[in-house]
Amino acid sequence: MLAAPRAQTPSFDLIIRNGRIVDGTGSPWYRADVAIRGDAIARIAPRIDTPAARVVDAAGKVVSPGFIDLHTHARRGIFEVPTADNYVRQGVTTIFEGPDGGSPIPLRPFLDRVSATRITPNFAMFVGQGSVRDQVIGPADRKATPAELDRMRALVQQGMEDGAFGLSSGLFYVPGTFTPTAEVVELARVAGRMGGIYISHMRDEASRVTDSVRETIEIGEKGGLPTQVTHHKVIGKANWGKSVDTLRLIDEARARGVDATIDQYPYTASSTGIGSALLPSWALEGGRESTLKRLQTPSSRSEIRSEIIRIIKDERGGGDPQNVQLARCDWDHSLDGKRLGDVTKGRGQEPTIENAADTVLWIIERGGCQGIFHAINEDDLQRILRHPATMIGSDGEVPIFGQASPHPRSYGTFVRVLGRYVRELKVITLEDAVRKMSAYPAQRTGLADRGVLREGLKADVVVFDPNTIRDRATFEQPHQYGEGVSVVVVNGQVAFEDGKMTSARPGRVLYGPARK
Ligand SMILES: [Zn+2]
């Protein structure tokens, strides 16, 4: 029987012409056209003349895989702003949630809700060790019983079956901080057996940062799974320079076969709750009511106060109350964006560290605030960025444009790496930066069909001008989109072009290796 006559060469939905291809692998750029059909990259060749429904001219521009952000708190905002403009406008096409040990338990109803909310970027999750422990034990500082450990194992297994890509921890936070290493190992083993990774906001990023890296490596080694130090940084002037040691530990671990990696955001300030950052963890045990009770007892109040003074001096406070900035205070938004020293002055006191500690107690008693802490050194940042095992993750959220005073990382992380650290400071090459934002996080999480520009893979693509790309969000004025990205394609559909989000909402929920 004769074969049916060959159909005409099929046309494409979109061709991106004349760009410089930075394919995500780290290989030097080359010139080619990229043709997309449906949700996939159909062809990459020096010149594609086939007709296409749409053609984008990328002359003078870079064409790369869409960026993958392994560490976001996108739950903050994704349902209000399902287009996640702050991420998509930077070229981010996939965001991961559930970092720092915090995720919904169970995951499935949450993922179903995301799936039903037509969003623009793809969305993936980790299951959080802190949330698992909180559900079984609560915010108590004690070991798990064998029965509790079994229940926690079952919840991690369920998280993986619901579609998580691994287990996250936040051993700095309550209740993660109350978890012995061996207990984390037990849960990591469950995630690892099911194909997941372990990613950790470590127990301490200040004076005990090297011990914390050792612990993260140990959990990967004993748990038998890939392990990652997330948003790696060294906090507090007394500790600056310790990235030399932490990176050596990572190198040594890798040399003996432990799959340990890093991610990072490109800013010298961190952001988290004022209470978590400036109060000792014992003061937070049992939850807010217990903390307030401790503050009513003069002896424990003064103990907490002296700990805050120490933390402002040597750790997260950066040695000066002006290095602590309030990002969002839900009980008084007029404080958003203000510095702790200025708030202290506003309360009629000299902005000394001691008086600032009283302001912190006052803030905690009123309900706490999200804070920004300027206590990281640029040399550590650049040293970590240069490391071959470092990828980029924002640790950001989906801000509501113009509201509060969030850390600029939500708007600027990816374009800042490409503008400031690639073009201006030449800390890493363009190809390496793109690798750290695409193929590397894709490989890390097992997203085999994304993160590289290659025929047959999903068409998540970003077109940008390497000569103009830059971040504009600052700590004073965070609500500013970056510049230089011209087109963003998610699952084959144009989501951003000509400076505007389109009406497409092509994002999908991506499920991990053990999804049932
Ligand atoms: Zn974190």
Side-chain angles (χ1 to χ4, degrees):
M1 193 176 159
L2 285 172
R6 247 183 102 88
Q8 266 186 305
T9 318
S11 65
F12 297 112
D13 296 316
L14 173 65
I15 296 180
I16 302 169
R17 285 221 165 99
N18 306 316
R20 276 189 257 161
I21 308 293
V22 175
D23 69 3
T25 64
S27 298
W29 68 267
Y30 65 101
R31 199 176 304 284
D33 295 350
V34 177
I36 293 166
R37 190 185 300 119
D39 66 356
I41 298 170
R43 194 150 179 245
I44 303 179
R47 193 178 163 82
I48 303 174
D49 287 322
T50 319
R54 278 209 51 189
V55 173
V56 166
D57 183 17
K61 304 211 167 107
V62 164
V63 182
S64 84
F67 306 140
I68 297 171
D69 191 339
L70 273 172
H71 187 137
T72 84
H73 298 271
R75 264 185 287 165
R76 300 206 284 257
I78 191 68
F79 296 111
E80 290 84 354
V81 188
T83 44
D85 304 31
N86 62 301
Y87 281 121
V88 175
R89 283 167 173 265
Q90 297 184 62
V92 174
T93 53
T94 298
I95 52 181
F96 276 74
E97 239 285 8
D100 298 342
S103 73
I105 307 285
L107 276 186
R108 192 168 297 242
F110 174 78
L111 285 173
D112 289 348
R113 186 176 165 215
V114 173
S115 189
T117 306
R118 299 177 55 233
I119 62 172
T120 300
N122 300 309
F123 193 98
M125 290 288 304
F126 293 106
V127 59
Q129 179 269 333
S131 301
V132 165
R133 193 176 217 266
D134 197 46
Q135 181 138 118
V136 174
I137 300 178
D141 184 3
R142 64 168 177 85
K143 277 197 193 167
T145 66
E148 286 167 340
L149 190 55
D150 279 343
R151 283 174 58 207
M152 290 193 286
R153 280 198 198 94
L155 286 177
V156 172
Q157 177 174 339
Q158 185 191 356
M160 291 299 295
E161 288 173 355
D162 285 351
F165 283 79
L167 179 72
S168 81
S169 74
L171 303 184
F172 170 73
Y173 294 107
V174 171
T177 186
F178 303 137
T179 316
T181 307
E183 181 184 314
V184 186
V185 169
E186 287 304 314
L187 301 187
R189 241 179 225 140
V190 175
R193 267 202 312 270
M194 302 176 79
I197 68 168
Y198 174 70
I199 182 165
S200 181
H201 178 150
M202 302 189 299
R203 214 173 275 279
D204 189 290
E205 295 175 305
S207 59
R208 286 171 295 134
V209 65
T210 47
D211 286 343
S212 297
V213 170
R214 270 191 204 100
E215 181 185 33
T216 308
I217 292 167
E218 181 187 343
I219 290 165
E221 195 161 17
K222 292 188 174 157
L225 79 176
T227 184
Q228 179 147 323
V229 176
T230 201
H231 54 48
H232 189 27
K233 58 175 110 54
V234 176
I235 290 175
K237 207 168 191 171
N239 307 306
W240 288 355
K242 284 187 180 171
S243 60
V244 172
D245 302 320
T246 61
L247 296 178
R248 199 193 56 240
L249 289 171
I250 295 286
D251 287 336
E252 287 168 2
R254 294 190 62 79
R256 66 172 191 272
V258 182
D259 186 355
T261 51
I262 300 162
D263 66 74
Q264 177 193 35
Y265 53 78
Y267 293 89
T268 53
S270 58
S271 178
T272 190
I274 289 280
S276 306
L278 301 181
L279 266 63
S281 58
W282 60 261
L284 303 171
E285 191 196 346
R288 178 165 169 76
E289 289 313 308
S290 315
T291 302
L292 293 178
K293 213 175 249 167
R294 287 182 193 105
L295 290 177
Q296 282 154 16
T297 314
S299 62
S300 55
R301 185 184 182 91
S302 92
E303 240 181 291
I304 292 171
R305 184 175 178 272
S306 26
E307 278 292 285
I308 296 173
I309 290 169
R310 183 187 64 76
I311 293 169
I312 295 178
K313 268 191 187 137
D314 300 331
E315 298 195 352
R316 204 65 84 138
D320 180 342
Q322 287 301 83
N323 286 332
V324 176
Q325 194 178 353
L326 304 183
R328 192 185 68 241
C329 302
D330 287 328
W331 45 276
D332 181 0
H333 284 296
S334 73
L335 296 174
D336 296 353
K338 293 213 169 121
R339 303 278 178 151
L340 186 59
D342 294 333
V343 177
T344 303
K345 264 194 239 167
R347 298 179 68 232
Q349 294 177 311
E350 284 296 300
T352 62
I353 291 182
E354 289 72 19
N355 289 338
D358 290 327
T359 304
V360 170
L361 293 176
W362 173 80
I363 287 169
I364 296 300
E365 283 169 334
R366 264 149 201 80
C369 303
Q370 188 75 8
I372 295 172
F373 309 89
H374 298 262
I376 300 168
N377 181 254
E378 180 74 25
D379 293 342
D380 284 316
L381 188 164
Q382 293 190 15
R383 191 176 294 120
I384 294 167
L385 181 60
R386 251 183 248 118
H387 196 279
T390 299
M391 47 201 102
I392 306 301
S394 70
D395 196 9
E397 58 196 29
V398 179
I400 297 177
F401 196 84
Q403 266 187 32
S405 194
H407 192 299
R409 62 196 182 190
S410 296
Y411 287 98
T413 290
F414 293 82
V415 286
R416 182 173 172 84
V417 168
L418 294 169
R420 177 175 162 84
Y421 291 100
V422 171
R423 184 181 62 246
E424 289 172 14
L425 301 177
K426 300 181 169 54
V427 174
I428 51 175
T429 64
L430 175 63
E431 286 85 350
D432 198 29
V434 170
R435 178 186 70 87
K436 288 170 181 289
M437 301 173 177
S438 57
Y440 200 17
Q443 173 267 316
R444 193 62 175 154
T445 49
L447 287 178
D449 58 350
R450 297 178 196 271
V452 177
L453 289 186
R454 188 171 288 154
E455 290 177 9
L457 301 198
K458 296 293 179 216
D460 292 346
V461 184
V462 52
V463 180
F464 63 90
D465 185 341
N467 298 312
T468 61
I469 195 161
R470 68 177 185 118
D471 63 307
R472 290 171 64 241
T474 63
F475 289 99
E476 291 69 36
Q477 296 196 308
H479 296 283
Q480 302 195 75
Y481 299 120
E483 286 175 354
V485 172
S486 48
V487 176
V488 178
V489 177
V490 180
N491 294 315
Q493 295 185 47
V494 176
F496 174 78
E497 65 180 330
D498 300 330
K500 287 193 288 288
M501 301 292 291
T502 69
S503 59
R505 305 265 196 97
R508 295 175 189 163
V509 172
L510 307 180
Y511 297 103
R515 164 82 171 182
K516 266 195 175 160

